[in-house]
Amino acid sequence: MRRQALWLLLGGSLIACSSSHYEVGRMDPQGAGANSASSGGSGNIMPATGLGGATSSAGNAGNAGSAEARAGTSFGGELGTTCVPSEVPAPLTGPFQTPGEVWTRISLFVFEQGTAPPSALPKKTTYGWAAQVVDELFAQAAEAGEVAPGSENFLRSWLGLGSDADALTQDWGRLLATDAPALELLLETPLSDAKRVGIFSEQAWLKQYPPISTRGFIMSRAVLGLAVPPEPGNPQDRPDSTPAPGYSRRQQLEASVAFGSCSACHALIDPLGVSLEHFDGDGVYRTFDAAQPVDSSGTYVLRQSQRSISFKDVGELGRKLADTCDASQGLASEYLALGLTRMGVSPGDWQTMHEDDLLRFQQAFVAGGRSYRALVTAFAQSAAVLER
């Protein structure tokens, strides 16, 4: 039951792996499923669940053209595949919860606590009003020069950052307040240190998760919606392993997982973690490891499109991942998972809501331009928030 709950909370593909020589693990950002054990398996993959946000046009058909323009005809980039249609999805028709209850749900998943609504509540809940509330929240934040609503809570959970983690150096919440595609912001933005590109090169996050596989594990879950069952325990308490003399960290890892029971799962995570090998266990940039030049290059096969990405480091990996369907669907899937979990939805109901909203979320996220606002709006307009 705990293993099933873990998959539900993570909102991605469940991949069974052997725990022998298995380095990967993380605490679920909501605190659940952290001690689930991995078990033997073939490494077969269930398709990742792709979800997304809604358009800021509140689902009005008349705005379909502008939504498609925001999504852009080049979506998918050089590695692109056919995504869900970018047309604005038809509005839900109810029956809806009362405006008071709807606002309680919105404030819970955005702010993790009850707050006052940005404007007076209407007498009756409508599909368009749910998007209007989100637009008002973003407008208020912009006027006050604040971060995007709920972005700090989202990033903390999305990255699995503990309360004792150092502060992030980039003001990601303000970047997410724009309507630029969220993944392009998170994966392609350079930091003040020119050697660091994207949120996963933040030293605070690298220090919290030193091992290669653990880094790749969290990246695969956060960006691609994949969920590899972790080892028991909290990865924050697991020290970075010391390579044998003369072996770099990468070489030591490759030798330790060169077993059939390990390789299937590690192929899903290790190339992502390897892209960060220029940063040691403390997140400090280095050019040599075990007296050898650091190699952070690799190739990663996207599990849905089966496209192959070659990269020299995390910056190039991020640029190539950011506009793929696999990554957009994965990000949205994880966002929905975090939102449902924050609302306290039980695992059984969670799965039903997840499946019911799947195609609508995908469609709306693409049509909405793949921004952070699109994610928030989609959740506000989802059946989990609006319907009885």
Side-chain angles (χ1 to χ4, degrees), residues 330-342:
L331 168 67
S333 176
E334 179 67 6
Y335 185 85
L336 182 67
L338 294 171
L340 291 174
T341 303
R342 188 175 297 161

Side-chain angles (χ1 to χ4, degrees), residues 83-259:
C83 290
V84 294
S86 61
E87 293 85 356
V88 177
L92 296 173
T93 58
F96 294 143
Q97 292 283 352
T98 65
E101 174 61 23
V102 169
W103 170 250
T104 296
R105 295 180 180 186
I106 292 175
S107 62
L108 182 61
F109 92 82
V110 173
F111 301 110
E112 294 189 306
Q113 60 184 0
T115 60
S119 60
L121 297 177
K123 295 181 179 179
K124 182 179 180 180
T125 297
T126 64
Y127 183 77
W129 168 72
Q132 178 184 333
V133 168
V134 174
D135 286 341
E136 290 175 355
L137 290 175
F138 273 78
Q140 286 186 355
E143 184 176 354
E146 298 174 350
V147 300
S151 58
E152 293 175 333
N153 295 332
F154 159 66
L155 289 172
R156 187 181 69 248
S157 297
W158 189 66
L159 293 171
L161 285 176
S163 57
D164 59 343
D166 295 340
L168 301 177
T169 61
Q170 177 62 261
D171 199 346
W172 300 101
R174 294 186 192 279
L175 291 179
L176 292 176
T178 71
D179 282 332
L183 279 172
E184 292 181 12
L185 296 172
L186 295 170
L187 300 183
E188 299 183 39
T189 299
L191 307 188
S192 56
D193 180 347
K195 300 180 180 69
R196 300 175 188 266
V197 177
I199 196 167
F200 292 107
S201 64
E202 284 273 10
Q203 187 170 8
W205 182 79
L206 292 165
K207 286 172 59 177
Q208 188 153 2
Y209 297 106
I212 297 172
S213 293
T214 307
R215 291 172 176 177
F217 174 76
I218 297 177
M219 293 171 73
S220 69
R221 180 269 304 167
V223 178
L224 297 170
L226 301 177
V228 181
E231 283 184 312
N234 182 355
Q236 295 180 42
D237 299 330
R238 187 175 301 116
D240 196 13
S241 59
T242 302
Y247 283 80
S248 67
R249 289 187 356 141
R250 177 171 181 169
Q251 291 170 332
Q252 181 72 50
L253 173 62
E254 290 172 348
S256 67
V257 301
F259 302 89

